[in-house]
Amino acid sequence: NAGVTQTPKFQVLKTGQSMTLQCAQDMNHEYMSWYRQDPGMGLRLIHYSVGAGITDQGEVPNGYNVSRSTTEDFPLRLLSAAPSQTSVYFCASRRDRSNTGELFFGEGSRLTVL
Amino acid sequence: GQSLEQPSEVTAVEGAIVQINCTYQTSGFYGLSWYQQHDGGAPTFLSYNALDGLEETGRFSSFLSRSDSYGYLLLQELQMKDSASYFCAVAVYNQGGKLIFGQGTELSVKP
């Protein structure tokens, strides 16, 4: 099982550019989410989805868009990158909304905005 | 809203026991989870407390007291490989069980 796969692993952008971080899971999980991690800030929730066609905002949603057209995929879009979005991004999934224990994380995408 | 507080750093020696505390303020949650992260890699799940009390998994135990808004992770027989960051997290009621994390505790195990 591949689990949760994130691409790209590393990316450098210029201010104002847009890009999409891809996330795919092969575990048939209903719940998927995106976090960003900055030094000393822990993991902060950006957006999450409890199933295909359903998304909601987390703690720090500004500057990011998501969609969930399939169970497997949950891309994160940066509309106009800013240096404040330099961070490590983690995608994570869980079996369903009622299984509130274990999240499975991807390996992370390291984004630098110049 | 939700907030979770953890110590930023803890140091202990190999073979010892260490406790990492987590205090929280939240309007309602399903349970308290703990995750481990090595060197900025993918966080991995350690334990989950849905009910008050102690859950034991090998060398690791986790405790929850809802009346005290408090939980902890207990690591016994510390090994060098336990040096990592540890995060507590709550799964929030009525919001898809979304997980909100604390800022993390960096554990350093010394020989």
Side-chain angles (χ1 to χ4, degrees):
Chain A
N1 260 352
V4 179
T5 303
Q6 292 182 232
T7 56
K9 288 184 170 50
F10 299 93
Q11 183 71 50
V12 179
L13 289 178
K14 294 181 180 178
T15 297
Q17 288 184 317
S18 62
M19 77 157 299
T20 300
L21 299 177
Q22 301 290 346
C23 176
Q25 52 88 13
D26 62 358
M27 297 174 282
N28 201 32
H29 284 176
E30 288 188 2
Y31 179 98
M32 296 185 74
S33 54
W34 277 102
Y35 290 88
R36 62 177 289 174
Q37 185 173 33
D38 304 293
M41 299 293 290
L43 292 153
R44 293 184 291 170
L45 182 64
I46 305 172
H47 286 285
Y48 66 101
S49 168
V50 297
I54 306 169
T55 63
D56 208 343
Q57 295 182 349
E59 302 168 278
V60 288
N62 292 342
Y64 306 96
N65 273 1
V66 292
S67 59
R68 185 93 181 271
S69 56
T70 67
T71 299
E72 294 79 18
D73 300 299
F74 191 44
L76 178 72
R77 297 181 184 85
L78 282 72
L79 307 175
S80 177
S84 61
Q85 294 179 302
T86 293
S87 189
V88 181
Y89 292 85
F90 287 100
C91 180
S93 71
R94 190 174 72 215
R95 190 178 69 203
D96 56 45
R97 73 182 78 184
S98 65
N99 181 321
T100 50
E102 182 174 6
L103 269 183
F104 294 83
F105 282 84
E107 292 298 317
S109 297
R110 285 148 181 84
L111 175 66
T112 301
V113 183
L114 302 176
Chain B
Q2 302 84 28
S3 68
L4 298 94
E5 296 290 331
Q6 305 177 232
S8 58
E9 297 178 344
V10 172
T11 302
V13 296
E14 206 172 5
I17 299 172
V18 71
Q19 179 173 311
I20 299 174
N21 297 325
C22 175
T23 57
Y24 58 84
Q25 291 184 338
T26 178
S27 53
F29 66 103
Y30 292 105
L32 185 71
S33 303
W34 288 92
Y35 288 78
Q36 180 189 60
Q37 184 183 37
H38 281 104
D39 299 325
T44 56
F45 172 80
L46 290 177
S47 68
Y48 175 66
N49 292 71
L51 303 174
D52 282 7
L54 194 66
E55 294 282 342
E56 297 180 74
T57 308
R59 294 187 298 114
F60 294 179
S61 303
S62 59
F63 174 82
L64 174 64
S65 169
R66 289 176 183 265
S67 59
D68 296 322
S69 298
Y70 164 73
Y72 66 72
L73 179 70
L74 191 73
L75 297 83
Q76 302 181 73
E77 301 172 16
L78 279 174
Q79 303 175 9
M80 298 297 289
K81 68 178 181 179
D82 296 328
S83 292
S85 293
Y86 293 84
F87 297 89
C88 60
V90 292
V92 180
Y93 276 152
N94 298 326
Q95 296 181 53
K98 68 180 183 182
L99 259 70
I100 303 298
F101 283 79
Q103 294 182 335
T105 299
E106 185 172 352
L107 172 64
S108 297
V109 180
K110 307 295 185 185

